[in-house]
Amino acid sequence: MYFAALLARTEDGWEASDTELDDVETLSDLADLAREASPDEDTVLVLIEQEDAWFGVVRVDGEEDPRIYVSDAAAAARSSYGEILLTDELLGRDPGDDGDDLDALDALDLDGTEDGESDDDEDDKEGGDGGDTAAGTGEAVPHGPVGDAEVLDDLGVSEKELRSMSGDAVGEIAEALGASEVLETVR
C-alpha cells in the first residue's frame, strides 16, 4: 500500500493534496506534477511511502532540479514508484554507461558467477537473494538511504532526524513542518 502527497508551501502556509502517480513514469514527470501544484514556483514536496518498507522525499523549488532522498534504496528498487526516484545520478552511476563496453561484455561470466567465485558463494550459503537490483540495469542497489539527506534542513528537519525516521515518516515530516493537519485532510 502506497501513500503519496504533495505539500506546496504558500504565503499562507502549507497546502496538501493527494496525488495519483499512475501516469508518472519518470522523475521529470514527477517534477512537472509538483511544479503544477505551485504556480508561484514555491517549494513543493512530494512525499511517498510504502507502508513500513521505505519513504521518499522529492523537493522541487521552481525550475531547479529536484532534490531527492530515499530511506531505503533496495526496498524502493522493488517498487514501481521507487524506481522513478532511483535515478542513475542518485545511485552514483554514470548515465552514459549503457553496458555497450566490449571489455565489460568480455568480463561477463554467463554461469552467474564472477571469475574465481564458486557457484555457492556466501549469499547462497546464507539463503540470500543475491542482492537487489534497479529495474533493467542488473546493477546492485545499496541497502539503506540514498540521496540528499539535507533536503529538509532549511525547513526544520535535520539530516539526523530524517535518517532516523521510520514507520509513519510522512506524518513525522508533516508534523515537523507544521503541516500535519493539512496532510491528514488528504489521507
Side-chain angles (χ1 to χ4, degrees), residues 14 152 155-158 161 165 169-180:
W14 291 97
L152 301 175
L155 299 175
V157 180
S158 71
E161 290 172 307
M165 290 181 180
V170 168
E172 292 178 48
I173 291 168
E175 179 73 32
L177 298 175
S180 58

Side-chain angles (χ1 to χ4, degrees), residues 21 24-27 30 68 79-87:
L21 299 180
V24 174
E25 295 179 9
T26 66
L27 180 59
L30 187 61
I68 306 164
S79 153
S80 59
Y81 297 140
E83 290 175 2
I84 293 169
L85 306 181
L86 298 176
T87 63

